Amino acid sequence: MTNNFSFKRLVSIMVTGQSDLKSAPDLSTIGSNLLEQLQQSLPYDVQTRLLSGYAAGIEQVSVQNAQAFNWEVQLFLTHKASHTPELDSLVESSSVTKIISLGQDTTSKRLIPDPAKQRDQMALNFADLLIIYWDSDFDPGQHNDHSQLIGQAAQSRKPVIWLSPDGQMHWLELERLDDATLELLKASDYSSESLVACFKPFKHLDQTPISRFIELLLNPTIQTHNPNATILRELTQTNGHTEFHDTGRLHDVMTGLLHSDKKDAWFELKRKFSAYRLPKLWSTTPDEVQPKPGLNEAFAHHDRLAEQAGGLHRSNIWLLYGFAALAVLVAVSAEVWQLHWLAYVELALIAMVIYRVWWARKIQLHQKWIRHRYLAEQMRYCIMGYPALAIPKAFLEPVWQINNQNQLQLTSAELWLLQRNLIVSGLPCDDGKIYTPPYHNHVLAEHIQAGVRHQMRYHQRHHHQKHLGHKRLHALAELQFLLTFIAVVMHIYIHANWLLLFTAALPAFAAGLHGILTKLEMERISGQSARLYQQLEHLDLALTRFIQQTPAGDDSWQHWLSLHYLANKSLQTMSDNITQWQHLIKVQQTEIPA
């Protein structure tokens, strides 16, 4: 991995849990003891970040102790920054790097949904470990937001340390959270009883696997016999240089020739030959919604490799089926004109087909294209929603699975890369600044809409190009079969050897075109783009109406929730589409043309 894309060895610890201080245990002692044990349990070269609010109780205790340990502190407040006691002194502290506020007035009536619940759900995206003060005996007739948060962490297989009102500490036993257990937790709606059964009490962190988990979290490649760890090593050992010297220009030339619209054909050629295509990084948006450089660099890196690997894979398909059909033509020509030296040309063409298949499999061209494209698109959607605190669900999917030995095992190299990028980037604001997303409803809505419209334009063009390419290649294949039929009829009456060129070679070229259509999935991908365009069209209209109906400068909590919903809906619609594409295209491996 290059210096630009290597990750800091950083652990992000989220602390939450508002408590009734009259009935709560001595959180100062318990919290200080727990954080001190964490400090001792972490490897010496690991940086530690505390992600917390500043409510009385465990949150304030944790912030104070984190500052004493020289941890980085990022605050995520539910209420207005001006209503936070001691905020001025916190801002001046070098340890507090970022502060985000949801901008709620402490004197306002109880808001639904509770800002604290919204804050916790958003913050969990940026955390590796959750520490929570939770009363498991809370009245089951009321909605317990903390049990839902613990359940959310369990579904992501993120470690949780639970502090109970009796002063006990409990560790979430991740090794017990197999898929069946997670389904049972969902079925119970994360009831207190079902969650408590997944925890084990401890007095000292040495009694938990925290140190082993942190090392595994930061370097999953230590699992030497895990195929996903091997994939992760391959994805992160590019040294900043693409290994794809040919960027697939043949595919652009061929598809460019299939487009009736000269503008589209010229666009495809220019995109490859003059490096016209640049990643969309939302560089024209206001400062409040600018994504972090690390996210932009990661997106540009994976987008570039996906573009190169994808172009090369598609060009390879054209070469394989083209050479296979050409080999048949050469073989027939050798017989028609008795040019025996053409046998060497035929042999060379067949050898080239075999070599290109072997080469594509050796460098895992198809797999690398799929992986880098999936990473790039998920990063694109993350960048789009990042300033609005809307993150695609892929960034909370479980990175770990439970194997047959009841041990944690890396389940996806791509998900690990995505989540490390987000967690290392931290909260979406500049260092030393206070950022209140609900104060920027209009700007954020326009930012999300710009991303949606960019994707709409892309998929509209993509649908048109793929549909037209499929239609013309299919028509060309039908024409070749028609000419073959005419040649066969003529051969019955005219016994000329040159007709064999049509009766034998044309079906081979038609079969080659059919193979190209099958491997490139032109029609199915065209239909997928058309469906996504229609879905995004509705979301674009919803965002337009939101902007029209929301006064400029409005910071209404309900309007912010509406915007956050629309942002999440937009991201998830696009995220689901790239996941479906990944599953669809996985089956089209590089094979010898039949």
Side-chain angles (χ1 to χ4, degrees), residues 95-110:
S95 61
V96 178
T97 57
K98 299 179 181 180
I99 299 176
I100 281 189
S101 166
L102 293 181
Q104 297 313 302
D105 194 325
T106 54
T107 62
S108 62
K109 297 179 180 179
R110 178 173 174 80

Side-chain angles (χ1 to χ4, degrees), residues 45 51 193 306 506:
D45 60 340
L51 176 59
E193 183 181 0
L506 280 180

Side-chain angles (χ1 to χ4, degrees), residues 18 104-117 138 142-145 557-558:
Q18 297 180 5
Q104 297 313 302
D105 194 325
T106 54
T107 62
S108 62
K109 297 179 180 179
R110 178 173 174 80
L111 298 171
I112 299 176
D114 184 12
K117 175 187 176 182
F138 190 81
Q142 302 181 41
H143 185 68
N144 192 338
D145 294 340
W557 176 244
Q558 296 304 322

Side-chain angles (χ1 to χ4, degrees), residues 443-463:
V443 173
L444 291 173
E446 291 168 357
H447 169 76
I448 298 297
Q449 189 175 48
V452 168
R453 288 180 173 176
H454 174 266
Q455 288 293 290
M456 287 174 64
R457 288 191 296 270
Y458 169 79
H459 284 284
Q460 185 179 40
R461 186 177 69 249
H462 196 242
H463 162 70

